[in-house]
């Protein structure tokens, strides 16, 4: 990475103090960002979507690890100026989009195949993940995602039925993807260090979901089931579906079960049987 100045110099020159309002925690360890990029798999035949690149530590690693093209969405104008230094070194391989990732459409700048690799801003990470997992069309525009989350969120994504961490994110993630935690990352790796540890989660998109279901109905069922975790399914779903008890019994699920005890297959079956009022 000899062509680019040290990240600390870039941060100092552009006065890039991380903003809590933007969910920013910068990764400056280029050995770590290279490890993240390599874990995502071969990059030289892929366009990469990166959200919240900040001063560009991971961006550098993605490009040096051979990414065909990186499309980076950044809201902070200060960071855009810093990222332009990287763009000057890789003019045809780095596309910068300034804006909110929740409202910016990057698809027109990406060509198949696509991987999403990002140290997601904490304040929008979960919402972005749910959007990517609940695309109306499947397979989606991406083949894999390698994403940084707070460790608690990462544990929820990969949790098994019956565990305290199992919930909406577990079901929606595991329905369409094979998921695993790649490795944990201590708070000290970030600037400023957050109050919690983080983890890198890898999602490999399946060609077909593991069980048949309509995505909007499945998400609705799951969100209502986990909305009040202590309630039995009978109480959690009553008021949203007709004949709740009969529907649950017809697929072998007891109305007295709680949300965390239901398997992915059973949630998909529930979405097929229950009829919204």
């Amino acid at each position: 990475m000899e062509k680019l100045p040290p990240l600390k110099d870039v941060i100092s020159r552009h006065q890039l103090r991380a903003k809590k309002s933007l969910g920013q925690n910068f990764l400056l360890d280029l050995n770590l960002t290279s490890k993240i990029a390599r874990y995502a798999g071969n990059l030289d035949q892929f366009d990469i979507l990166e959200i919240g690149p900040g001063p560009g530590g991971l961006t550098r690693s993605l490009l040096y690890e051979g990414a065909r093209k990186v499309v980076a969405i950044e809201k902070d104008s200060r960071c855009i100026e810093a990222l332009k230094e990287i763009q000057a070194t890789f003019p045809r391989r780095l596309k910068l989009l300034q804006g909110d990732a929740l409202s910016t459409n990057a698809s027109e700048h990406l060509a198949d195949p696509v991987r999403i690799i990002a140290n997601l801003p904490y304040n929008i990470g979960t919402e972005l993940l749910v959007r990517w997992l609940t695309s109306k069309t499947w397979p989606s525009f991406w083949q894999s995602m390698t994403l940084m989350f707070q460790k608690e969120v990462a544990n929820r994504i990969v949790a098994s039925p019956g565990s305290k961490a199992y919930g909406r994110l577990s079901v929606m993630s595991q329905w369409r993807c094979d998921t695993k935690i790649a490795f944990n990352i201590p708070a000290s790796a970030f600037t400023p260090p957050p109050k919690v540890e983080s983890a890198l989660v890898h999602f490999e998109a399946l060609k077909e979901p593991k069980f048949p279901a309509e995505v909007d109905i499945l998400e609705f069922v799951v969100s209502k089931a986990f909305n009040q975790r202590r309630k039995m399914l009978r109480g959690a779903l009553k008021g949203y579906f007709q004949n709740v008890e009969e529907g649950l019994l017809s697929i072998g699920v007891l109305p007295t079960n709680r949300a965390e005890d239901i398997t992915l297959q059973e949630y998909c079956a529930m979405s097929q049987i229950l009829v919204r009022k």
Side-chain angles (χ1 to χ4, degrees):
M1 301 189 181
E2 64 283 358
K3 294 182 180 179
L4 294 167
L7 275 175
K8 288 186 177 180
D9 292 351
V10 173
I11 288 173
S12 177
R13 184 159 18 92
H14 293 279
Q15 299 181 351
L16 294 180
R17 180 174 294 180
K19 290 184 177 180
K20 187 176 182 180
S21 62
L22 296 176
Q24 291 176 330
N25 294 94
F26 299 147
L27 272 178
L28 306 184
D29 184 342
L30 296 182
N31 290 322
L32 178 56
T33 57
S34 294
K35 182 180 179 181
I36 293 169
R38 288 193 295 270
Y39 192 93
N42 185 9
L43 304 183
D44 58 8
Q45 299 299 317
F46 285 82
D47 279 9
I48 309 300
L49 175 60
E50 184 186 8
I51 307 297
L58 180 57
T59 312
R60 295 182 183 206
S61 293
L62 293 171
L63 291 164
Y64 276 103
E65 291 296 329
R68 183 176 65 191
K69 179 182 179 182
V70 175
V71 176
I73 302 176
E74 176 57 60
K75 187 175 184 178
D76 191 340
S77 59
R78 302 171 307 155
C79 293
I80 289 290
E81 293 306 310
L83 291 164
K84 285 181 179 178
E85 297 181 13
I86 305 176
Q87 190 178 48
T89 303
F90 301 94
R92 292 181 296 277
R93 293 174 57 205
L94 176 58
K95 177 72 176 179
L96 300 176
L97 301 177
Q98 184 174 359
D100 188 334
L102 294 173
S103 57
T104 300
N105 183 7
S107 60
E108 62 187 37
H109 304 284
L110 294 162
D112 293 336
V114 174
R115 298 191 192 276
I116 304 175
I117 307 172
N119 171 25
L120 293 174
Y122 282 161
N123 57 349
I124 61 171
T126 300
E127 184 172 353
L128 283 171
L129 174 62
V130 171
R131 289 188 183 192
W132 290 326
L133 291 172
T134 57
S135 170
K136 293 292 184 183
T137 59
W138 195 266
S140 188
F141 70 95
W142 51 272
Q143 287 194 8
S144 72
M145 301 190 292
T146 307
L147 305 172
M148 191 87 65
F149 294 98
Q150 293 182 20
K151 191 174 179 180
E152 177 186 354
V153 176
N155 287 337
R156 284 159 50 197
I157 290 168
V158 303
S160 300
S163 66
K164 290 183 179 180
Y166 187 68
R168 172 177 173 240
L169 283 183
S170 318
V171 174
M172 300 311 298
S173 298
Q174 296 171 36
W175 177 48
R176 285 176 159 178
C177 301
D178 285 330
T179 64
K180 62 181 177 180
I181 293 179
F183 49 84
N184 296 325
I185 300 174
S188 59
F190 298 88
T191 301
K195 295 180 180 180
V196 295
E197 289 191 348
S198 298
L200 187 73
V201 184
H202 185 74
F203 303 76
E204 198 70 33
L206 302 171
K207 291 183 179 180
E208 297 287 342
K210 292 178 181 176
F211 305 103
E214 292 186 29
V215 62
D216 57 341
I217 299 178
L218 176 61
E219 186 182 16
F220 185 86
V221 169
V222 172
S223 64
K224 296 308 176 185
F226 283 100
N227 188 42
Q228 300 181 65
R229 295 179 67 99
R230 294 184 180 181
K231 276 194 172 184
M232 298 175 185
L233 285 177
R234 169 199 296 131
L237 299 176
K238 189 176 181 180
Y240 300 105
F241 299 95
Q242 296 176 347
N243 306 318
V244 169
E245 293 204 17
E246 293 86 344
L248 293 173
L249 289 170
S250 71
I251 57 173
V253 173
L254 295 177
T256 53
N257 282 346
R258 293 181 176 177
E260 58 265 33
D261 297 320
I262 307 303
T263 66
L264 170 61
Q265 183 175 7
E266 288 169 333
Y267 272 113
C268 291
M270 284 163 58
S271 72
Q272 300 275 73
I273 295 294
L274 298 175
V275 179
R276 199 180 306 178
K277 286 185 177 179

